[in-house]
Amino acid sequence: MSIHIAQQTGVITLHTARTSYQMWADEQGVLHHLYYGPSVGNADLRDTEFRSDCGFSPNPGELHLQRDYSLDTLCQEYTGCGVGDFRVSCLNVQNPDGSIAADLRFAGAEVLPGKYALPGLPAAFDNGGECETLRVTLRDDVTGLTVTLLYGVYEQADVITRAALLQNGGSGVIRLRKAASACLDLPFGEWELLHFHGRHCMERQPERAPLPHGVQVIGSGRGASSHHHNPFVILAEPHATETAGGCLGAMLVYSGSFRIEMEVSQLHSTRLVAGLGDETFCWTLAPGETFAAPEVLFSYSSDGLGELSRQYQRFLRDNLIRSVWKNRPRPILINNWEATYMNFDGETIYHIARQARELGVELMVLDDGWFGRRDDDTSGLGDWQVNEKKLGCTLAELIERIRGLGMDFGLWVEPEMVCPGTALYAAHPDWALSIPGRTPAMGRSQLVLDMGRPEVVDYLYETLSALLRENHISYVKWDMNRNMTDVFSRALPADRQGEAAHRYMLGVYALLERLTSEFPDILWEGCSGGGGRFDAGMLHYFPQIWCSDDTDAIQRLKIQYGTSFGYPISAVGSHVSAAPNHQTGRTAPLNTRAVVAMAGTFGYELDLQLLSESEKQDIRRQIAVCKQVQPLVLQGRYDRLTDAMTDTYFTAWQLTAPDAAAALVSVVVVDPKPNPWSIHLRCRGLAPDGLYKNSLTGHVATGSALMAAGLTLPMQTGDYPATQIWLERVD
Ligand code: GLA
C-alpha cells in the first residue's frame, strides 16, 4: 500500500519507492504539510514542525491565546485566503456576500485504487496497479466551498500527482479569481530555483539561482504555456549536481496561461503554488458546480538532477503520453518548410519526396501553404480547403503519388487560428477573440479563434476529421503561431470574460481528445512556432513536439539540453536543416547537424537538390545510424555529460540501452582550441562489471573504468566537429 493513514493520529503518509510525503489534519482541521523528501517509512514527523509566536502573524479567532498557532507560519497542503496566511495562496475566492475569504478545514480522507481522472483535462493515467489515489476533502463551513485534493501516488515511478476540485456547496455564486492546483510547503532548507526561460527560436534555456526572500513567479499570460517560460520548475539543494543532491520538480499538465509562485517566508520555509491562469482569470461557480484545476506532477530525487530528469522522462513516456507511437520507432521524415517555405506546387513536393525516398526517408511532410489562399503568412488560415490550383492536383492524388514511392504522407495544420479575409472569417467574424469597439492586435497577421465555443470545436472537428478520413494521412503537425490578446469571447456575458482563456484550453483539449481518439494511428506532432507549447498537457495527445523553430545545431544543443530536464528525448522534434542555417546564418557540418538531430525524433528539412553526391551518401549513412539510435531515444536512459550553458569547449550526452548492453556517447565541439586540452568524459549508467568495446578505438574497458576513469577523445579541430562513440557490451 503506497498510502498509509495512521489510525490513532490520522497522519497520512504517501510512499513511493524512494520518497515519502506526509500530511496531518490537526484538531482544528487545518491540514498541515509535514514532509516531502527521501523515504522515512511511516515515521510520525509531527514533532519536526516548528511553531513560533511570530509577531504580526495572526492566530485563528477560536485560538487567539495560542499565540504560536498561525496559518501564516504553518506549512499547509492547500491554503484558503483572507483568514490569516499572508503568503502566496492557492485561492482567491469572492463569496456571495462580496467577502474574499476561504477558511478550509479537513472533512475527510479516503484511499481509492487506481488513478483519478480530471474532467476535460489531460492527466496522467495508470496502466494497471501502478497508482493509488488519495482524496482529501477540505471545507469552508461558512460558504460551503469544498476543495477536494487529489493525490495520485505512483510508487515505482517516484511521482506524486496532484490536482484540486473546487465545488460550490453553498447557495450563492462564488467567483474564483485564483484556483491553484497544488501548494507545496517545504518547511526547511535552502533551495535554488532552476527554471526554463526563453523566446521564440530560443526556448527552455535553463537558469538557476538561489530563491530570494519574497515571491518569485514563473508564468505565462499568453494563453499558451509559451516559449518564454515553461510550466516546469525544479527546486534544488544548493550543492545538487547532475549526479548527487536533493532536488524536486513541479510540472504542470497544462498548455495555457499559468503561474508557478515560490515564496521564501519570514521563517525561511519555502512555498510553491502552481496552477493555471494569470491576473485576468475569474471563474463563476454557481451552486453545485465544480471547477477542476489542472494536474501537477511532483517528483523528488536524492541523486541529483540527472535522476530527477529520468524520473520525469520515464513517467511522461509511461503514464502521460497516450499515443500508440510512444514506443514505436518514428519514421524518418522530410519536411518541405525550410526547403520551399510556401513557394511550391505538387510537382515540387513530389520531387522532394522522390529524392528523399532514394536516400531512405520514410515520411513526406507537407508544411504550411497547401490550403485556401496561402502563399505567404498574411492570409488563408481558417479555409482548410485544399488549394488544388496551387498543387496542380487533388491532395489525394498527390498523396497517392507519394505513397507510390513507398513513403507515408504527413500534413501541417494550424486549426486554432483565422486570418481576416478568409471565408471562415467572413462567415463567423464573432468566432475570433476580439473586444467590441477595439481593433484587435494581430500576430503573424492572424487572429485566435474562440476555442471555448463548442460550435468552433465542432466545426474544426468536422473539417479536420473529413480531411483525415478522405485522405491517406499518417502524420499531422498541429501548429499554433501566435499568443492571445484581446481575450474576449462574444459567447460569454460581461461578468464571465475572465473564463475565456481557460475555456479556450478546454476547447483545444476537447478537440484533441476527439481527433486523437478517432485517429489513434496517426503520428501527431505538436508545434507552436516551434516549442511555444512544449508541455505535459500537449504531450498527453501528441507523442512529439517540434522543439524549436531554431534548427541551428549549435543553438539546439542548448535548447535540447534545457528541454531534457523535464521531457523525454523521444518527444523532441529535431531536424537536419540547411547550411548556412536559416535562423542564424551559421555553417555547421552535415554530420554535426545529424548527430544533434539524433537526440530527438529525427528528420530532414532542407532542399536536397542543393546537396552534393557525397552529402547524399552521408545522409544514407546517417539514416542507418539513426535506426540504431532510435531504440535508445525511445526507451533508453539519457545523461547530460556536460553543462551546455557553461561548458564552452564541448557539449556531450549519453544514451544508454535500458539493459545497459550498449550506449552512445555524442560529443560536439562548440569552440575548438589551439593546443587543446583533452576531451575527457566520464560515462554513466553502464554495468560496472560489463566489458564495453569503444567503436572509435576498438579498446575494451569495464563499465566501472569508463565511469570512473572515463574516455578520452582525439583532438578535434574545425568548425563544430561532432563524434559519436558506441560502447557495446562484448562479455
Ligand atoms: C511555425 C512552425 C514551422 C512552420 C511554420 C509554417 O513557425 O514552427 O515549423 O511549420 O510555422 O508557417
Side-chain angles (χ1 to χ4, degrees), residues 70-76 79-82 84-91 178 183 185-187 215 261 263-267 269-271 273:
S70 172
L71 295 179
D72 195 33
T73 56
L74 287 176
C75 289
Q76 294 159 68
T79 79
C81 61
D85 186 343
F86 293 113
R87 292 166 292 179
V88 288
S89 63
C90 295
L91 289 179
K178 182 177 185 186
C183 168
D185 272 348
L186 300 165
V215 183
E261 298 160 291
E263 177 167 2
V264 179
S265 77
Q266 56 178 342
L267 296 183
S269 62
T270 298
R271 170 170 290 177
V273 172

Side-chain angles (χ1 to χ4, degrees), residues 549-684:
D549 271 350
D550 186 353
T551 58
D552 175 325
I554 305 308
Q555 293 286 323
R556 275 290 187 119
L557 290 173
K558 290 186 173 141
I559 298 169
Q560 293 178 188
Y561 169 82
T563 306
S564 76
F565 279 86
Y567 301 100
I569 307 310
S570 58
V572 171
S574 195
H575 299 167
V576 175
S577 65
N581 176 265
H582 290 195
Q583 290 78 43
T584 62
R586 192 199 316 259
T587 298
L590 183 56
N591 177 52
T592 302
R593 285 175 271 152
V595 167
V596 175
M598 278 184 216
T601 69
F602 187 77
Y604 291 87
E605 188 165 334
L606 74 176
D607 188 349
L608 295 172
Q609 293 185 81
L610 303 177
L611 299 184
S612 67
E613 264 320 304
S614 87
E615 285 175 317
K616 287 184 179 167
Q617 208 40 48
D618 286 344
I619 288 184
R620 287 192 183 93
R621 262 196 301 273
Q622 287 165 5
I623 290 176
V625 174
C626 181
K627 296 274 175 196
Q628 287 175 280
V629 180
Q630 265 185 344
L632 305 192
V633 169
L634 289 170
Q635 284 179 320
R637 165 190 164 123
Y638 181 80
D639 279 281
R640 296 174 289 266
L641 299 183
T642 59
D643 181 336
M645 308 308 287
T646 56
D647 292 338
T648 52
Y649 183 8
F650 62 91
T651 298
W653 63 96
Q654 180 184 332
L655 285 161
T656 310
D659 60 359
L664 175 68
V665 175
S666 302
V667 183
V668 178
V669 174
V670 290
D671 188 13
K673 317 242 179 248
N675 299 320
W677 57 88
S678 67
I679 296 181
H680 177 262
L681 293 165
R682 282 189 179 146
C683 298
R684 300 199 193 124

Side-chain angles (χ1 to χ4, degrees), residues 97-115:
D97 63 2
S99 62
I100 297 174
D103 191 359
L104 300 174
R105 302 297 169 105
F106 184 77
E110 59 177 332
V111 178
L112 303 166
K115 172 70 190 353

